[in-house]
Amino acid sequence: MNSKLEKLFKARVKGKVVLITGASSGIGLTVAHKLADAGAHVLLVARTVETLEQVKQEIEAKGGKASIFPCDLNDMDAIDETSKQILASVDHIDILINNAGRSIRRAVHESLDRFHDFERTMQLNYFGAVRLVMNILPQMIERRDGHIINISSIGVLANATRFSAYVASKAALDAFSRCLAAEVHSHKIAITSVYMPLVRTPMIAPTKIYKYVPTLSPEQAADLVAYAIVKRPKKIATHLGYLASLTYAVAPDVNNKLMSIGFNLFPSSTASVGKQERLNWVQKAYARLFPGEHW
């Protein structure tokens, strides 16, 4: 992030209250530190209290301000209870970042006896996020101010193979957000979807081939979120994401063929988990043509 944008970011978030889900690792953890370093009060939500306490200590050791709220975002009742605790502890929430998510890499024909994969992915990525939005939204409407940022996926734009459960859940959240954006526009509330490319986080670690494909660092991902906070756009994507979206809009068959080639080039999770399998030159070349795409 350039120095001008960094200054705008600090001016935008200093003294603000920001709620971040999935804040104990990966993108959420990095975003939490970036916001706290810039003077925001970060409200950290994740499942494990011990990890949250560690993150809180790290932020406070640097002079930042953080509060923790352990919550299993798969549990709707737990979200309701945690939301009450959050709203009772602060005057308001300026920014909500729905970052927590579950990703499953498995082709549909390999999932025929695993319908629960689709249910649990939708539960966390869609229902959990929507439930939290519905709990936080009333105070944003009352204040006539607020910003909701949803961490989506480049797979939604590119129709990533092997990620039907994950992409469908993110696409559902996208559709909900587009409808909501029009409803809350007059209340001065912004809704932003960040179509995140592949990021080197613990979530992708089990898929060993990702060690050899282009990815963003958590810091680069955090910069995209910072840009979203400053500019408050409807959506943010990489150049590849926008190109993939355009390709599917004007030439869906071309998009389908390109994704099919990638699907056949790369092995399934059962072939890659636990093995340090290196990519051949064709796989490496294809991955570099589509940096950040999920294979």
Side-chain angles (χ1 to χ4, degrees), residues 51-88:
T51 310
L52 285 174
E53 287 175 344
Q54 181 180 345
V55 177
K56 183 177 187 289
Q57 291 172 5
E58 291 171 355
I59 288 173
E60 290 178 340
K62 296 186 293 181
K65 185 176 182 182
S67 301
I68 63 171
F69 298 91
C71 180
D72 182 357
L73 293 168
N74 294 289
D75 184 333
M76 301 298 106
D77 291 336
I79 293 173
D80 290 344
E81 181 59 33
T82 302
S83 297
K84 291 176 183 177
Q85 295 171 7
I86 291 170
L87 293 172

Side-chain angles (χ1 to χ4, degrees), residues 136-157:
I136 301 303
L137 188 62
Q139 62 91 11
M140 287 187 172
I141 291 175
E142 183 178 351
R143 292 183 65 243
R144 294 181 61 79
D145 186 31
H147 190 185
I148 297 171
I149 298 173
N150 296 319
I151 305 303
S152 188
S153 168
I154 190 176
V156 174
L157 304 178

Side-chain angles (χ1 to χ4, degrees), residues 3-280:
S3 58
K4 181 180 179 181
L5 191 62
E6 189 78 41
K7 288 178 64 175
L8 291 171
F9 172 70
K10 290 181 178 179
R12 173 78 75 178
V13 305
K14 186 175 182 180
K16 301 295 185 181
V17 180
V18 186
L19 173 57
I20 311 164
T21 67
S24 61
S25 67
I27 297 170
L29 173 62
T30 308
V31 168
H33 276 282
K34 191 175 189 68
L35 284 161
D37 291 345
H41 176 193
V42 291
L43 312 180
L44 312 176
V45 176
R47 281 182 299 179
T48 308
V49 62
E50 293 81 10
T51 310
L52 285 174
E53 287 175 344
Q54 181 180 345
V55 177
K56 183 177 187 289
Q57 291 172 5
E58 291 171 355
I59 288 173
E60 290 178 340
K62 296 186 293 181
K65 185 176 182 182
S67 301
I68 63 171
F69 298 91
C71 180
D72 182 357
L73 293 168
N74 294 289
D75 184 333
M76 301 298 106
D77 291 336
I79 293 173
D80 290 344
E81 181 59 33
T82 302
S83 297
K84 291 176 183 177
Q85 295 171 7
I86 291 170
L87 293 172
S89 70
V90 294
D91 291 333
H92 63 274
I93 295 166
D94 294 291
I95 303 169
L96 165 61
I97 302 175
N98 279 312
N99 167 73
R102 178 196 304 277
S103 177
I104 295 176
R105 182 179 185 268
R106 187 173 287 111
V108 174
H109 75 271
E110 296 168 341
S111 306
L112 301 182
D113 60 347
R114 297 184 61 88
F115 187 73
H116 61 280
D117 283 349
F118 294 84
E119 292 177 307
R120 61 181 181 159
T121 306
M122 190 66 74
Q123 185 74 16
L124 177 60
N125 296 0
Y126 178 61
F127 290 122
V130 170
R131 188 73 162 225
L132 185 58
V133 167
M134 294 177 78
N135 286 336
I136 301 303
L137 188 62
Q139 62 91 11
M140 287 187 172
I141 291 175
E142 183 178 351
R143 292 183 65 243
R144 294 181 61 79
D145 186 31
H147 190 185
I148 297 171
I149 298 173
N150 296 319
I151 305 303
S152 188
S153 168
I154 190 176
V156 174
L157 304 178
N159 310 301
T161 59
R162 290 193 176 87
F163 286 88
S164 58
Y166 177 66
V167 168
S169 66
K170 292 295 188 180
L173 185 59
D174 269 7
F176 169 82
S177 299
R178 290 196 300 271
C179 297
L180 176 63
E183 295 181 12
V184 300
H185 178 73
S186 62
H187 297 286
K188 312 300 181 185
I189 298 170
I191 313 289
T192 300
S193 292
V194 181
Y195 297 97
M196 200 68 76
L198 203 60
V199 180
R200 196 160 298 285
T201 67
M203 189 169 74
I204 72 166
T207 304
K208 301 306 179 184
I209 64 168
Y210 284 156
K211 182 178 179 180
Y212 308 105
V213 303
T215 61
L216 290 191
S217 68
E219 290 73 23
Q220 290 171 314
D223 284 347
L224 288 179
V225 177
Y227 182 86
I229 291 172
V230 172
K231 300 295 185 179
R232 290 164 60 107
K234 295 293 184 188
K235 60 183 180 180
I236 294 176
T238 60
H239 294 309
L240 177 63
Y242 285 122
L243 179 61
S245 180
L246 177 63
T247 302
Y248 190 76
V250 302
D253 285 344
V254 172
N255 179 283
N256 191 57
K257 288 176 182 177
L258 290 172
M259 292 299 102
S260 178
I261 291 170
F263 174 74
N264 289 303
L265 270 178
F266 296 94
S268 295
S269 292
T270 52
S272 58
V273 169
K275 296 171 66 176
Q276 296 294 328
E277 182 175 350
R278 292 185 176 275
L279 303 185
N280 61 42

